[in-house]
Amino acid sequence: RKEVEQDPGPFNVPEGATVAFNCTYSNSASQSFFWYRQDCRKEPKLLMSVYSSGNEDGRFTAQLNRASQYISLLIRDSKLSDSATYLCAVNPTPGTYKYIFGTGTRLKVLA
Amino acid sequence: NAGVTQTPKFRVLKTGQSMTLLCAQDMNHEYMYWYRQDPGMGLRLIHYSVGEGTTAKGEVPDGYNVSRLKKQNFLLGLESAAPSQTSVYFCASSYEGGAGGELFFGEGSRLTVL
C-alpha cells in the first residue's frame, strides 16, 4: 500500500458546483498535512494546511479524519480558475522532516 | 523575489552521460528537497537535506547523488543517466521541516535521457 493515495480523477464539474477530494495515508503516526495546487506544467504551490480542527479559507475547506486516516478538501462554488491538479502532502514519520505526496487529483471545472 | 531557482530548466542527455542540477534558494531555509514527477506517479522524494552538510535518502534515491555544501544550494547529480530518469525534477525548500513548514518549489527542470 502506498503511503499516501489519491483518486487521480479527472473530476469534471460544472461551474458553481461543490466538489470534494480525499487523500488517504497509511501511517497512523503521520503529522503535518497539506493541500497543494499544481497548474499544468507549473510547480506546486501551497493551497492550505490541514489542522486537526479543520481549516477554512474562503471557498476551500480542509479536514483531517485521524480515525479513518484521510484528509479532505472541499471546494464550494467552483470557478473555471479552480481547474488544476490538487496534491496532498503528508509527513508520515515525525522527526524525519520529509514530505510524501499523493499522485494528485485532477479537477476540471466546466462552463 | 527569486525564491527557489533551478538550473538548467531543460536538458537532453544521452544514456550514460552525467549531469548536475543546481537548486538555489535565497530565503535562508534550512530544509531542501529534490522530487521527481512522472505522469501518474505524482511527486516522489529523491533526497533531502535538513541543513548545510547533511543529506538523507527519500523514496527513490537510486541513481542519484546530492550535496549541500552551502546552505543556499542543493545539488542533484546523475552519474550515469538512464532513460528511466527522464522526468521533471522539482527542488523545494522549507523553513521548518516535518513540524509543518510550507514547501516552496522551483519551476522545475525537464530532463530527457535518450
Side-chain angles (χ1 to χ4, degrees):
Chain A
R1 182 183 175 186
K2 291 182 180 179
E3 286 189 283
V4 181
E5 292 193 80
Q6 293 182 255
D7 181 340
F11 284 57
N12 297 323
V13 302
E15 271 187 295
T18 296
V19 61
F21 313 130
N22 286 342
C23 167
T24 60
Y25 58 93
S26 61
N27 188 344
S28 60
S30 297
Q31 294 182 357
S32 304
F33 306 91
F34 305 88
W35 284 103
Y36 283 78
R37 171 189 169 131
Q38 185 175 28
D39 293 305
C40 188
R41 301 179 74 84
K42 297 288 189 180
E43 73 273 21
K45 293 184 179 178
L46 182 69
L47 179 65
M48 57 198 312
S49 303
V50 187
Y51 306 122
S52 296
S53 57
N55 189 16
E56 185 172 326
D57 183 4
R59 298 181 292 109
F60 299 83
T61 301
Q63 293 192 317
L64 167 63
N65 185 317
R66 283 203 178 272
S68 299
Q69 294 182 205
Y70 72 89
I71 61 173
S72 63
L73 177 68
L74 180 77
I75 305 175
R76 291 181 296 276
D77 189 22
S78 299
K79 312 291 185 190
L80 293 175
S81 58
D82 293 334
S83 297
T85 296
Y86 292 85
L87 301 158
C88 62
V90 176
N91 176 14
T93 312
T96 61
Y97 309 105
K98 65 181 183 181
Y99 297 89
I100 303 300
F101 284 78
T103 55
T105 297
R106 190 173 173 197
L107 171 65
K108 290 184 179 180
V109 181
L110 308 172
Chain B
N1 294 334
V4 179
T5 303
Q6 293 181 228
T7 53
K9 291 196 170 35
F10 301 93
R11 184 75 186 269
V12 178
L13 287 177
K14 294 181 180 179
T15 297
Q17 287 184 317
S18 63
M19 75 158 296
T20 300
L21 295 175
L22 170 64
C23 177
Q25 52 94 4
D26 62 1
M27 297 173 283
N28 200 35
H29 285 173
E30 287 291 338
Y31 307 94
M32 297 188 74
Y33 307 81
W34 274 108
Y35 289 89
R36 61 177 288 174
Q37 187 171 38
D38 305 290
M41 303 293 289
L43 285 163
R44 290 184 291 170
L45 181 62
I46 305 172
H47 286 281
Y48 63 103
S49 168
V50 301
E52 182 178 312
T54 75
T55 63
K57 294 180 179 180
E59 302 171 273
V60 288
D62 294 341
Y64 304 94
N65 56 74
V66 287
S67 64
R68 182 109 181 259
L69 299 180
K70 293 182 179 181
K71 185 177 183 179
Q72 64 267 35
N73 296 337
F74 195 29
L75 278 63
L76 178 71
L78 286 71
E79 290 187 348
S80 180
S84 61
Q85 294 178 304
T86 293
S87 187
V88 179
Y89 292 85
F90 285 101
C91 176
S93 71
S94 173
Y95 179 70
E96 296 181 46
E102 173 184 356
L103 292 181
F104 293 84
F105 285 86
E107 294 182 337
S109 298
R110 295 183 176 274
L111 175 66
T112 301
V113 182
L114 302 176

